[in-house]
């Protein structure tokens, strides 16, 4: 298993501070900058690209990656619920991504019911490949981000995310959420090794994986990176082409910014080795 020779860029998924960001973007982003973050991963950025770009600039932050729906025609929430609201078209998404200075636009979620058969997964791959072709005309790449449902069942002897990877065009990246992969019950380090150079980003997210605490969404077991049961260090070592290590909490029971500082320190200590 090959270890990554380059230190990935440390980032933070802004969904982590969603309530703070909605209440006072400047204060929230300023606190991230004070902690030492210089790179962020926006979500739901199309409707507020200009405002967000200005706020990031004021605090010296960049956004090389971001989350936007690319393979779903209507909004799907991370808990699997959906609405009839149409998602923005690819041209609109990529124009907003360019305004924010992104290089990779990552689809954050698809309906769990679309991961039951090989045919369904290959259809999702076709949609992502089509998005990637459009993205290339804007000088952008496309990626996909997993939760547990892409990995929690066996289909023809393989996990859904691996079937997806096989069907994706080579330029389409994967952003593996290490916590959700562990929640799905897979060997996370072995999974990263099998996916190989396709993995360009990971979500550095840790948790106790206590069955009682993970029953609801958002889960209640998440802790600062390196303090839980997810094999983050070994997974990071296994990622041979990693560009971005993105800190995220779906929920956090303690002081959020202190938790974010601890996760950043975990990654900084690894980079200093």
């Amino acid at each position: 298993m090959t270890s990554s020779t380059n230190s990935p860029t440390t980032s933070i998924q802004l969904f982590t501070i969603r309530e703070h960001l909605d209440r006072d973007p400047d204060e929230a982003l300023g606190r991230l900058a004070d902690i030492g973050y210089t790179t962020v991963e926006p979500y739901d950025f199309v409707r507020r690209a200009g405002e967000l770009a200005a706020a990031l600039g004021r605090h010296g932050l960049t956004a090389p990656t971001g989350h936007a729906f690319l393979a779903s025609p209507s909004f799907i929430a991370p808990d699997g619920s959906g609405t009839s609201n149409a998602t923005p078209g690819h041209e609109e998404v990529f124009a907003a991504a360019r305004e924010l200075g992104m290089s990779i636009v990552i689809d954050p979620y698809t309906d769990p019911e679309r991961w039951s058969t090989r045919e369904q997964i290959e259809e999702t791959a076709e949609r992502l490949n089509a998005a990637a072709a459009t993205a290339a005309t804007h000088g952008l790449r496309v990626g996909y981000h997993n939760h547990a449902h892409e990995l929690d069942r066996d289909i023809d002897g393989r996990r859904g995310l691996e079937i997806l990877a096989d069907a994706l065009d080579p330029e389409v990246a994967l952003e593996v959420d290490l916590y959700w992969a562990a929640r799905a019950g897979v060997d996370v380090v072995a999974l990263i090794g099998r996916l190989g150079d396709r993995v360009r980003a990971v979500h550095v997210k840790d948790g106790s994986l206590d069955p009682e605490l993970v029953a609801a969404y958002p889960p209640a077991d998440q802790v600062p990176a390196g303090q839980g049961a997810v094999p983050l260090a070994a997974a990071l070592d296994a990622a041979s082409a990693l560009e971005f290590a993105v800190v995220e909490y779906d929920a956090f029971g303690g002081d959020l910014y202190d938790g974010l500082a601890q996760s950043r320190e975990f990654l900084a200590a690894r980079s200093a080795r």
Side-chain angles (χ1 to χ4, degrees):
M1 194 172 294
T2 303
S3 297
S4 178
T5 56
N6 298 313
S7 295
T9 297
T10 296
S11 184
I12 172 174
Q13 167 54 242
L14 292 182
F15 182 77
T16 303
I17 61 164
R18 54 196 177 276
E19 295 176 358
H20 303 257
L21 194 65
D22 288 342
R23 185 167 56 245
D24 190 332
D26 270 309
E27 180 184 9
L29 295 173
R31 293 195 68 175
L32 293 181
D34 289 344
I35 290 170
Y37 286 95
T38 59
T39 303
V40 302
E41 183 175 76
Y43 72 102
D44 187 24
F45 60 82
V46 177
R47 65 180 175 87
R48 53 183 175 180
E51 174 190 356
L52 188 56
L56 294 175
R58 286 194 291 272
H59 297 284
L61 300 170
T62 62
T65 68
H67 281 192
F69 290 105
L70 299 171
S72 300
S74 60
F75 176 78
I76 301 292
D79 62 0
S81 63
T83 74
S84 59
N85 294 335
T87 54
H90 291 166
E91 291 288 351
E92 186 178 2
V93 169
F94 299 138
R98 286 290 301 273
E99 186 172 0
L100 283 158
M102 291 180 186
S103 60
I104 308 178
V105 179
I106 300 166
D107 190 315
Y109 198 86
T110 50
D111 189 342
E113 294 187 3
R114 289 170 52 185
W115 290 82
S116 300
T117 68
R118 175 179 291 274
E119 290 73 23
Q120 290 173 321
I121 296 168
E122 289 176 346
E123 180 183 1
T124 294
E126 289 176 6
R127 296 180 183 183
L128 291 170
N129 289 341
T134 303
T137 68
H138 294 264
L140 297 166
R141 290 181 285 165
V142 158
Y144 184 78
H145 171 87
N146 68 281
H147 287 72
H149 60 266
E150 297 92 343
L151 290 160
D152 62 5
R153 70 195 76 179
D154 186 287
I155 301 172
D156 300 332
R158 306 195 75 203
R159 301 291 172 147
L161 190 63
E162 296 176 84
I163 295 172
L164 180 78
D166 289 344
L168 289 173
D169 290 340
E171 65 271 16
V172 180
L174 291 179
E175 178 180 69
V176 177
D177 189 305
L178 301 173
Y179 169 85
W180 285 109
R183 279 280 303 273
V186 302
D187 182 329
V188 176
V189 178
L191 174 69
I192 294 292
R194 290 195 300 273
L195 293 173
D197 289 354
R198 180 77 72 174
V199 181
R200 298 295 177 151
V202 295
H203 271 199
V204 182
K205 185 188 302 179
D206 213 343
S208 69
L209 306 180
D210 183 322
E212 292 186 7
L213 297 179
V214 302
Y217 183 86
D221 69 317
Q222 291 178 6
V223 297
Q227 299 180 29
V230 181
L232 297 181
L236 288 165
D237 283 343
S240 58
L242 194 62
E243 298 175 43
F244 302 101
V246 185
V247 171
E248 184 189 32
Y249 297 108
D250 296 297
F252 187 69
D255 182 296
L256 180 57
Y257 290 100
D258 179 61
L260 290 172
Q262 291 183 60
S263 289
R264 182 183 173 279
E265 289 165 5
F266 167 82
L267 289 169
R270 291 189 53 75
S271 296
R273 293 184 310 170

